[in-house]
Amino acid sequence: MVAALSPPRILPSGDAAITVEFSRTIDEEANRRVLALDKLVASAGLAAVTETVPTYRSLLVHYDPLQLGFDALGEKLTELALQPLPEAKAARRWRIPVAYGGENGIDLEDVAKALNITPDEVVARHVGGDYKVAMIGFTPGWSYLSGLPGSMQMSRRQNPRLLTPPGTISIGGIQTGVQCLAGPSGWHLLGRTAVRTYQLGRDPIFLLEPGDAITFAAVDEKTFAEQDRAAEAGAFVAELIAS
Amino acid sequence: MSKLIVTSVSPGTSVQDVGRFGAQRYGLVPSGAVDRLAMAAANALLGNTLFAATIELGPLNSVFTAKGGAVRISLTGATRPADIAGTPFNVNTSVTLADGESLNLGVARAGTFGYLAIEGGIRGEPMFGSLAVNARAGLGSPYPRPLQVGDELPVATASSANEKRIDLPAPVEGPIRVVLGPQDDEFGDAKDLFLSSDWKISATSDRMGYRLEGPVIKHLHGHNIVSDGTVNGSIQVPGNGQPIVLMPDRGTSGGYPKIATVISTDLGRFGQTQPGRAFRFKAISMAEAQAEYRAFAELLQSLPGRVHDSNILMLDIKALLSANVAGVAVSATDDNTWQAPQPADAQD
């Protein structure tokens, strides 16, 4: 006997979007329900739905109110959200190479000091994690991963940096992230990857999907430089190790 | 083929259309015009499709010059002085720049963004179906960044169509309307304070977000929530209690509680509010907001029917006053008021 699913909260995000909220906290089960609802909405062929944005704990559904009102869509989404979850099947898994420390990861030493371990141990723990893309957001390709080992969790920086390099791999709170474009960040920078999670002119433009599994692999600076040139020319660099 | 040359340009000027949709799940925000009604009106004036790419003009002076042929343009949005070689050019009308002629745009007097449309639209390479500039993502065409002096926009050579004017309904006045949520339950009495206070837009605002200045809006459970999706008009409240209204270049997700959302119909009007000018918010029901949404969609569709040749009924009030028409008041239904025109004498 499977426990009945609790109904999500149907929250208005203005007059043309609904937030379907499963949890207020970061919660693996809630994220599974978000991603399952995302697939169900896509396959339900709801003409009024224009696009969906899965996040850790909620699914944002953009819709055209000329075609369907808030109450009717809210009921439909609740109905879909209460369908039994599909069997958890193996997600596709990417191996993402990371050059840790040095210029590529300027916070590695400080993170090691804060955790009272060596920088090598920080790298070993980060590489040892089993991650999942919980959501992609903020800027193109910025992938938020769940699964950071509990022994690496620390609060964000007091002073966010206004500019961090493209490809930055960082940790913040209970998350780790793969950042694609240069931009501001309040997280601790551990390294860089040559992988472009977003690249115009490449097929696909966006490499990672919410729900994908991720493994990190440490590479040296020379390999990073070679991979960076290959990635610039359109190579994935990330390796699909299960699909 | 002609070109429109950027001879001088206000900060915050970029090519914008209705934006690009479908990739918010990958962190790519739609961008697009701040004031969609004004953008669509500019296109309607020239017979373009309503959501063709236009130049969204920042509030300061700009000069655009036609090159290689005549260019037909229209101007809507923020009211501002404008002229071509000293001849005034009015907002909500079209005009043709002869080869080599320049359009001089003054500083916005009411509103922030103007919209300059070009007959036949702007030629460029659509990315995800849009030419809209999103500088952070390196998207937009012909230039993936705000316009700079020396930029050349490829455009169609002007047709011989009559110049037009568009009759827009009187601007809506009153508070900016919002629908509460999605996280209004993160605020207690602060919700009433939010709805009953005067707010001003900070000068540090941009197309990502408008920062508001007013009373401190306190959270019940702190200002960190788990990031979730945002929309245009999401009103998020960070730790300092000063709300930020998210605009078309927002992040697709955010980690501050969102007290309310500006209704779609009022997004353009809100976006045109000048920094420092006091305004208020008003909460309305979802049913009202969606009725307003339908009315706004009908207004957009009505725009082509509101365009008229500008040489018909071009009443110049000053000219009428100086001609002293009012001094010969007549009623078509009362014979006694019919009078022979008085000779132009002492009054002149």
Side-chain angles (χ1 to χ4, degrees):
Chain A
M1 181 70 198
V2 180
L5 293 169
S6 58
R9 296 209 304 161
I10 300 294
L11 305 171
S13 275
D15 51 29
I18 287 177
T19 301
V20 184
E21 186 188 83
F22 291 95
S23 168
R24 290 173 181 238
T25 55
I26 293 184
D27 171 332
E28 188 55 33
E29 179 66 12
N31 191 236
R32 263 187 74 206
R33 292 186 68 187
V34 168
L35 298 177
L37 178 62
D38 185 42
K39 284 205 171 70
L40 282 173
V41 170
S43 58
L46 300 169
V49 172
T50 51
E51 62 182 302
T52 56
V53 185
T55 66
Y56 276 108
R57 56 171 183 136
S58 64
L59 184 70
L60 180 64
V61 180
H62 292 269
Y63 68 102
D64 177 4
L66 299 180
Q67 296 191 48
L68 202 58
F70 175 81
D71 292 337
L73 181 58
E75 279 169 31
K76 183 73 197 164
L77 292 169
T78 302
E79 188 187 304
L80 291 175
L82 291 176
Q83 288 190 12
L85 285 179
E87 287 296 308
K89 68 170 203 265
R92 63 176 185 171
R93 178 178 292 274
W94 299 92
R95 184 186 288 132
I96 292 184
V98 182
Y100 286 96
E103 279 179 20
N104 295 318
I106 56 176
D107 293 331
L108 181 65
E109 302 273 344
D110 287 344
V111 168
K113 277 192 198 115
L115 297 177
N116 205 21
I117 55 178
T118 64
D120 283 350
E121 182 58 22
V122 174
V123 173
R125 286 187 193 178
H126 194 253
V127 166
D130 179 14
Y131 304 99
K132 186 180 82 168
V133 179
M135 64 174 277
I136 303 173
F138 188 48
T139 60
W142 218 122
S143 305
Y144 294 79
L145 312 187
S146 59
L148 185 71
S151 65
M152 294 191 72
Q153 296 175 2
M154 51 195 282
S155 56
R156 299 170 195 185
R157 286 173 55 83
Q158 288 287 343
N159 299 308
R161 293 191 175 91
L162 291 175
L163 192 65
T164 56
T168 288
I169 304 293
S170 54
I171 59 173
I174 64 172
Q175 310 166 60
T176 187
V178 182
Q179 168 183 340
C180 185
L181 305 176
S185 172
W187 292 18
H188 307 277
L189 318 185
L190 297 187
R192 281 181 72 195
T193 180
V195 173
R196 272 72 163 159
T197 52
Y198 160 68
Q199 191 172 29
L200 281 176
R202 184 187 63 194
D203 183 22
I205 293 172
F206 295 99
L207 197 61
L208 306 182
E209 291 283 341
D212 283 359
I214 303 289
T215 301
F216 291 113
V219 296
D220 59 24
E221 277 191 40
K222 184 165 164 286
T223 308
F224 170 75
E226 285 164 11
Q227 289 177 333
D228 200 45
R229 281 191 293 277
E232 189 56 38
F236 288 178
V237 176
E239 201 183 334
L240 197 55
I241 53 179
S243 58
Chain B
M1 182 93 145
S2 301
K3 281 178 175 166
L4 191 66
I5 311 296
V6 181
T7 308
S8 150
V9 69
S10 165
T13 300
S14 63
V15 170
Q16 295 295 339
D17 52 24
V18 76
R20 53 181 65 80
F21 295 90
Q24 293 190 72
R25 59 191 291 108
Y26 301 113
L28 179 61
V29 78
S31 299
V34 167
D35 183 349
R36 280 162 204 215
L37 177 62
M39 180 196 71
N43 281 317
L45 273 162
L46 301 173
N48 294 348
T49 60
L50 289 180
F51 297 134
T54 61
I55 300 173
E56 182 175 87
L57 301 160
L60 304 183
N61 302 69
S62 294
V63 179
F64 294 90
T65 306
K67 185 176 154 186
V71 177
R72 202 161 157 253
I73 57 161
S74 62
L75 178 66
T76 62
T79 54
R80 66 200 325 146
D83 72 86
I84 299 158
T87 304
F89 171 49
N90 294 326
V91 173
N92 296 334
T93 66
S94 73
V95 73
T96 300
L97 297 173
D99 189 5
E101 266 186 341
S102 290
L103 168 70
N104 303 302
L105 297 167
V107 175
R109 286 175 178 155
T112 298
F113 291 108
Y115 292 86
L116 182 71
I118 298 129
E119 189 180 44
I122 294 167
R123 307 279 165 89
E125 288 285 323
M127 295 159 176
F128 301 91
S130 167
L131 300 184
V133 169
N134 174 348
R136 253 191 320 168
L139 293 176
S141 183
Y143 301 94
R145 53 163 173 74
L147 290 176
Q148 295 175 0
V149 171
D151 285 352
E152 303 192 347
L153 302 170
V155 298
T157 300
S159 73
S160 55
N162 290 336
E163 300 306 347
K164 309 287 185 186
R165 63 186 163 83
I166 188 165
D167 297 326
L168 295 174
V172 178
E173 299 288 339
I176 299 294
R177 293 163 295 178
V178 300
V179 172
L180 289 174
Q183 283 103 22
D184 53 315
D185 57 354
E186 295 281 337
F187 303 88
D189 294 345
K191 237 181 330 193
D192 299 328
L193 186 63
F194 171 76
L195 293 170
S196 63
S197 301
D198 278 346
W199 294 98
K200 287 177 180 174
I201 292 168
S202 148
T204 58
S205 299
D206 59 21
R207 282 183 42 92
M208 284 183 71
Y210 281 15
R211 292 165 188 280
L212 304 186
E213 293 168 349
V216 171
I217 302 300
K218 290 207 171 84
H219 310 77
L220 289 178
H221 316 289
H223 63 268
N224 278 311
I225 59 166
V226 178
S227 284
D228 71 350
T230 66
V231 300
N232 287 355
S234 290
I235 305 173
Q236 60 175 24
V237 183
N240 66 4
Q242 298 290 277
I244 301 172
V245 184
L246 299 184
M247 301 300 283
D249 285 350
R250 64 191 152 82
T252 53
S253 57
Y256 298 121
K258 294 173 280 292
I259 192 169
T261 311
V262 177
I263 68 169
S264 303
T265 305
D266 283 358
L267 282 172
R269 185 160 73 93
F270 171 74
Q272 293 284 21
T273 305
Q274 288 177 313
R277 207 182 136 203
F279 68 94
R280 287 190 179 201
F281 291 108
K282 179 189 176 192
I284 62 171
S285 71
M286 181 62 78
E288 286 174 280
Q290 295 198 325
E292 286 294 329
Y293 189 101
R294 288 190 289 276
F296 188 69
E298 279 163 21
L299 172 60
L300 284 176
Q301 292 311 315
S302 78
L303 291 175
R306 294 169 172 273
V307 173
H308 307 285
D309 282 356
S310 56
N311 56 358
I312 299 172
L313 255 177
M314 272 295 282
L315 292 176
D316 184 321
I317 299 300
K318 277 186 187 159
L320 285 174
L321 286 173
S322 67
N324 196 22
V325 172
V328 204
V330 294
S331 164
T333 58
D334 180 0
D335 283 345
N336 291 328
T337 65
W338 285 94
Q339 299 172 16
Q342 301 295 310
D345 51 20
Q347 281 103 346
D348 286 334

